[in-house]
């Protein structure tokens, strides 16, 4: 049975661990679908190699620590108590899944009235929010992520985190439920943008799926 636990089955692009509830998510679009933001080669390598490696390493570590059955949120809530591989690879698994979900070839434009109202309430305007988010993305020294999250009071806030940390983890300063994510590791943009992280960050808005972000906003407010 021990061997079975680490055997993964490839079914239609989705990897299912034999004894795990953790699944490698299917991409909701083709590798070239977001080219207005990110090129096909980067997208393919990012998803099939980087994200997949985080997933495989996380599942292996989670299996050894018998974390199966636990929700990612619960794991992150006490991530400081686990070996650092859970923080790095669990974060890498979860963060990329969220990142893929909040982008769409049909994305861009403005949030729906409900989310727009919340953004205006907490940031002043959509433009101010976008500037703050871009500053967080550009200002993250080295590798990391920029986030839009919902805090315990239901307010929106922008933050950034190093490496594969995220706002759900008990190791970050400002905690909340992330509803929008932007990967600013060089592996996410270097082939096309080289050192121009600012251009990559600016193009992100062309693919943001605001319907999905609002769905996550509503779910976060129910918790
Ligand atoms: Mn990445």
């Amino acid at each position: 049975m021990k061997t079975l636990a680490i055997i993964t089955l490839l079914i239609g692009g989705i990897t299912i661990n034999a004894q795990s509830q953790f699944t490698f998510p299917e991409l909701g679009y083709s590798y070239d679908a977001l080219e207005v933001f990110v090129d096909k080669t980067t997208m393919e390598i990012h998803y099939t190699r980087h994200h997949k490696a985080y997933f495989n390493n996380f599942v292996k570590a989670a299996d050894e620590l018998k974390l199966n059955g636990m929700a990612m949120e619960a794991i992150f809530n006490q991530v400081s108590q686990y070996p650092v591989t859970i923080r790095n690879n669990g974060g890498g698994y979860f963060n990329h899944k969220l990142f893929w979900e909040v982008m769409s070839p049909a994305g861009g434009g403005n949030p729906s009235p409900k989310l727009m109202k919340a953004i205006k309430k907490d940031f002043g305007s959509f433009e101010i929010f976008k500037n703050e988010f871009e500053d967080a993305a550009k200002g993250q020294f080295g590798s990391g992520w920029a986030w839009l999250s919902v805090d315990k009071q239901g307010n929106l806030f922008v933050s950034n985190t190093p490496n594969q940390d995220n706002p759900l983890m008990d190791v970050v300063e400002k905690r909340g439920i992330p509803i929008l994510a932007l990967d600013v590791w060089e592996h996410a943009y270097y082939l096309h943008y080289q050192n121009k992280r600012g251009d990559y960050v600016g193009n992100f808005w062309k693919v943001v799926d605001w319907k999905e972000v609002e769905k996550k906003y509503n779910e976060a407010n129910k918790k």
Side-chain angles (χ1 to χ4, degrees):
M1 286 307 282
K2 193 72 189 159
T3 359
L4 257 184
I6 54 164
I7 292 174
T8 54
L9 308 167
L10 263 174
I11 306 167
I14 308 171
T15 309
I16 300 165
N17 188 278
Q19 288 185 348
S20 170
Q21 92 276 22
F22 306 114
T23 55
F24 190 63
E26 207 161 348
L27 209 54
Y29 33 79
S30 59
Y31 298 132
D32 62 357
L34 306 179
E35 283 210 314
V36 62
F37 168 57
V38 67
D39 64 279
K40 184 185 176 187
T41 308
T42 299
M43 191 67 220
E44 182 166 6
I45 294 172
H46 202 172
Y47 172 72
T48 62
R49 300 196 208 159
H50 293 276
H51 191 195
K52 191 64 186 292
Y54 290 122
F55 172 75
N56 289 341
N57 291 334
F58 169 70
V59 167
K60 187 170 174 282
D63 185 57
E64 282 164 9
L65 291 161
K66 304 196 177 359
L67 300 183
N68 283 315
M70 278 183 80
M72 293 307 289
E73 288 79 359
I75 293 171
F76 292 148
N77 201 36
Q78 51 189 38
V79 82
S80 60
Q81 295 172 36
Y82 299 124
V84 73
T85 186
I86 293 291
R87 175 176 171 180
N88 290 339
N89 292 294
Y93 163 47
F94 176 92
N95 299 351
H96 288 90
K97 183 172 180 289
L98 178 63
F99 185 40
W100 312 141
E101 285 170 0
V102 296
M103 295 189 290
S104 158
N110 292 326
S112 63
K114 185 184 174 185
L115 182 58
M116 186 66 105
K117 201 177 153 194
I119 287 172
K120 282 181 178 164
K121 177 178 81 64
D122 293 326
F123 297 97
S125 74
F126 186 46
E127 285 311 309
I128 295 172
F129 153 69
K130 285 205 291 186
N131 286 334
E132 203 178 307
F133 188 89
E134 287 188 31
D135 286 348
K138 288 184 279 189
Q140 172 57 48
F141 184 75
S143 300
W145 292 78
W147 307 96
L148 173 65
S149 308
V150 180
D151 70 14
K152 267 195 179 140
Q153 286 73 41
N155 299 317
L156 295 165
F157 68 95
V158 161
S159 64
N160 54 20
T161 55
N163 306 315
Q164 295 295 350
D165 290 354
N166 68 51
L168 291 164
M169 294 180 175
D170 67 349
V171 291
V172 305
E173 203 180 319
K174 188 129 200 230
R175 297 181 67 190
I177 300 172
I179 61 171
L180 178 68
L182 175 58
D183 188 341
V184 292
W185 282 59
E186 281 188 347
H187 69 225
Y189 63 86
Y190 206 85
L191 277 184
H192 182 72
Y193 295 92
Q194 287 85 48
N195 59 324
K196 299 185 191 103
R197 186 191 283 190
D199 293 352
Y200 163 77
V201 170
N203 279 338
F204 178 52
W205 305 116
K206 295 175 182 170
V207 296
V208 172
D209 184 349
W210 288 110
K211 273 186 197 147
E212 184 61 31
V213 179
E214 180 169 301
K215 199 177 123 200
K216 293 184 189 305
Y217 173 71
N218 290 333
E219 283 165 8
N221 273 306
K222 278 184 217 150
K223 286 179 185 171

